[in-house]
Amino acid sequence: MNREEKRKLQQLIDGYGVTSSTLHSNNIKLTMKRNVVDVAKEFPNYFSRLFPISGGRNLPNVQLLGVSHSGVRLVRRERDAICDYLRVLDTISFEDIAEVSVPRSSTIQILLRNGGWMTLYSHKAEKIRNMVERYCVEAAQGGHEYVRAVADYVTRESTLLSFRENDIIRVVKNRNLHLDKAVYKQSQQQGYSQCLRRREA
């Protein structure tokens, strides 16, 4: 995080009265934790998978490629006497990507819908392509919502979902039942909603 991002998070945490001595207290509300995560999601690199890359002669300042739910970012590491952070040089949305290819084992090419393109070099080229392509497919389908289970829930009912605390669950629309996402989550994953209410009470 850069200095401004750190300041924003610190200000939010201070507003809840959380200090270093109470950081791991069980009294910290789930709402506060969610708000901190929501703010962090706005930071371009915080939830990104970072890959070491080279931009070659055309993009000499690029050192890292960040891939997350919000897009692809060209990144450079910046250091000074006070702060060591990642600077975003450019951001590409998945909707703007037409094709991702790996012409050679350490080369990745990204073709943009406006006709532009870029060539990057990394020994992780295959992994980068696969990850970007998955996000592009999700973007074309309207994306997905993810939630984290706050308690265990085990059921023998075949139409309900069993899970453990801290499992990541993808919430999808049930087209067969013609229900919107909110109704589907409440009816088909009712156990999750019940566990969530008990923890917040």
Side-chain angles (χ1 to χ4, degrees):
M1 292 186 290
N2 59 34
R3 277 172 284 189
E4 177 59 24
E5 291 168 347
K6 288 181 179 179
R7 185 199 63 78
K8 190 173 182 179
L9 268 187
Q10 189 63 55
Q11 190 176 47
L12 176 63
I13 293 172
D14 290 345
Y16 283 102
V18 177
T19 64
S20 58
S21 60
T22 62
L23 185 60
H24 301 289
S25 170
N26 293 328
N27 295 325
I28 297 178
K29 293 183 178 180
L30 183 62
T31 303
M32 176 264 185
K33 296 179 181 179
R34 284 178 175 168
N35 289 341
V36 170
V37 171
D38 287 341
V39 170
K41 283 180 179 179
E42 299 175 5
F43 302 158
N45 295 316
Y46 202 74
F47 288 96
S48 292
R49 170 77 182 272
L50 295 171
F51 298 93
I53 64 167
S54 168
R57 288 179 293 180
N58 292 329
L59 298 167
N61 293 324
V62 177
Q63 298 174 334
L64 298 164
L65 186 75
V67 183
S68 73
H69 63 284
S70 58
V72 177
R73 292 178 174 84
L74 304 180
V75 180
R76 177 181 177 84
R77 186 175 183 180
E78 299 281 359
R79 302 181 187 181
D80 57 36
I82 301 175
C83 198
D84 183 352
Y85 67 98
L86 300 178
R87 176 186 172 194
V88 177
L89 303 177
D90 198 6
T91 299
I92 307 163
S93 70
F94 296 114
E95 290 81 4
D96 292 335
I97 297 176
E99 183 182 355
V100 184
S101 62
V102 179
R104 289 184 291 275
S105 61
S106 296
T107 304
I108 182 167
Q109 290 184 333
I110 300 177
L111 176 65
L112 305 178
R113 295 191 182 278
N114 63 7
W117 58 276
M118 63 180 65
T119 301
L120 305 169
Y121 305 93
S122 172
H123 65 286
K124 300 283 189 179
E126 288 282 354
K127 289 186 177 181
I128 294 172
R129 180 188 64 181
N130 293 340
M131 190 172 186
V132 172
E133 284 182 342
R134 285 198 299 270
Y135 275 120
C136 286
V137 170
E138 288 189 5
Q141 295 175 344
H144 298 292
E145 179 184 348
Y146 294 88
V147 294
R148 183 185 295 275
V150 298
D152 294 347
Y153 181 78
V154 180
T155 177
R156 294 181 180 178
E157 174 59 53
S158 61
T159 60
L160 297 179
L161 179 67
S162 294
F163 49 80
R164 298 294 182 184
E165 183 178 1
N166 291 323
D167 279 354
I168 302 298
I169 303 168
R170 188 174 75 180
V171 181
V172 296
K173 181 177 179 179
N174 190 327
R175 294 181 175 84
N176 294 328
L177 295 178
H178 305 289
L179 299 176
D180 62 38
K181 183 173 61 178
V183 174
Y184 172 61
K185 187 167 75 171
Q186 180 68 23
S187 60
Q188 293 296 90
Q189 299 191 35
Q190 188 175 8
Y192 173 80
S193 300
Q194 291 171 344
C195 288
L196 187 61
R197 285 198 296 269
R198 283 201 297 268
R199 177 61 65 90
E200 290 180 330

